[in-house]
């Protein structure tokens, strides 16, 4: 990793006015996933073939039935959001002065990388799969989230993470200099 693979992304007033439209405009077929963390919950999203952004709160919209999932995407409560896929990652985060963002586009031929899959919590599928989102929960009364994949019995959702390795010649040490989300996938595993 001889050159930086990230670049700053401008976050203008349009983001605060309509975060959904701002994020959707930056999603592509190669970066189709959204994972956002807000004060009031986790928001998943997926880019549709027509370019529209569908959110977990669109699919599971009843706040009375799904209080942890029917979370609106608002700049006021958003802490961070990631748009990601094989084509790169855009990370947006809250700062003391508003929001900042950076884009990573390391490509498939980046040197000195390794990938690993991280299982997402949620071992049980509750209710039906709706609009390609699967409601998952952990334990009898544990946390819930709705991943934008159809995850069946015997499958688990996982995030594929890519780590870029850098070297410190004086100490002859290697270290992870940067990590990014690459994909949302299904892997074999117990669903119950």
């Amino acid at each position: 990793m001889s050159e930086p693979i990230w670049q700053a992304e401008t976050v203008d007033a349009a983001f605060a006015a309509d975060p959904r439209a701002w994020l959707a405009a930056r999603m592509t077929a190669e970066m189709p996933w959204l994972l956002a963390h807000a004060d009031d919950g986790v928001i998943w999203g997926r880019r549709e073939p027509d370019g529209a952004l569908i959110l977990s709160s669109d699919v599971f919209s009843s706040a009375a039935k799904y209080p942890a999932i029917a979370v609106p995407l608002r700049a006021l409560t958003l802490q961070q959001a990631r748009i990601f896929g094989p084509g790169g990652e855009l990370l947006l985060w809250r700062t003391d002065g508003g929001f900042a963002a950076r884009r990573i586009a390391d490509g498939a031929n980046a040197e000195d990388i390794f990938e690993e899959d991280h299982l997402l919590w949620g071992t049980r599928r509750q209710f039906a799969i709706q609009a390609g989102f699967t409601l998952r929960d952990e334990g009898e009364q544990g946390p819930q989230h709705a991943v934008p994949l159809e995850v069946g019995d015997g499958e688990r959702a996982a995030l594929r993470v890519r780590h870029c390795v850098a070297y410190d010649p004086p100490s002859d040490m290697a270290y992870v200099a940067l990590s990014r989300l690459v994909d949302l996938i299904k892997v074999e595993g117990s669903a119950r």
Side-chain angles (χ1 to χ4, degrees):
M1 196 172 85
S2 58
E3 297 180 22
I5 59 171
W6 67 271
Q7 62 184 18
E9 178 92 8
T10 302
V11 182
D12 56 18
F15 174 77
D18 190 351
R20 183 184 190 133
W22 191 92
L23 291 165
R26 283 148 182 83
M27 297 176 85
T28 66
E30 287 296 308
M31 291 173 46
W33 307 113
L34 169 72
L35 174 57
H37 294 86
D39 294 339
D40 42 0
V42 173
I43 304 163
W44 283 98
R46 178 185 66 232
R47 181 183 186 272
E48 296 293 282
D50 66 359
L53 170 57
I54 184 170
L55 301 175
S56 50
S57 57
D58 298 334
V59 177
F60 298 97
S61 59
S62 169
K65 192 171 183 180
Y66 309 110
I69 298 164
V71 175
L73 179 61
R74 301 178 296 155
L76 179 66
T77 59
L78 190 66
Q79 292 299 318
Q80 71 172 12
R82 292 174 189 265
I83 297 169
F84 64 97
E89 178 191 69
L90 183 134
L91 170 62
L92 173 118
W93 67 95
R94 178 178 295 281
T95 70
D96 289 339
F99 285 92
R102 63 103 172 108
R103 180 180 295 270
I104 296 175
D106 53 6
N109 297 324
E111 294 181 28
D112 300 324
I113 63 169
F114 68 97
E115 293 179 350
E116 56 187 356
D117 297 339
H118 292 263
L119 292 177
L120 297 175
W121 52 259
T123 56
R124 297 183 330 137
R125 184 179 76 215
Q126 292 295 314
F127 317 105
I129 295 172
Q130 295 180 35
F133 284 72
T134 305
L135 183 63
R136 305 290 287 195
D137 67 358
E138 189 72 43
E140 289 302 313
Q141 295 182 1
Q144 295 180 333
H145 65 130
V147 294
L149 287 176
E150 293 188 8
V151 182
D153 290 333
E155 295 179 319
R156 298 281 304 267
L159 283 171
R160 179 154 292 152
V161 180
R162 178 174 293 158
H163 305 285
C164 298
V165 177
Y167 299 92
D168 180 32
S171 65
D172 199 28
M173 300 288 285
Y175 61 95
V176 173
L178 187 71
S179 297
R180 78 166 186 89
L181 301 182
V182 176
D183 213 351
L184 177 63
I185 61 171
K186 295 184 282 188
V187 296
E188 289 184 31
S190 175
R192 291 226 185 292

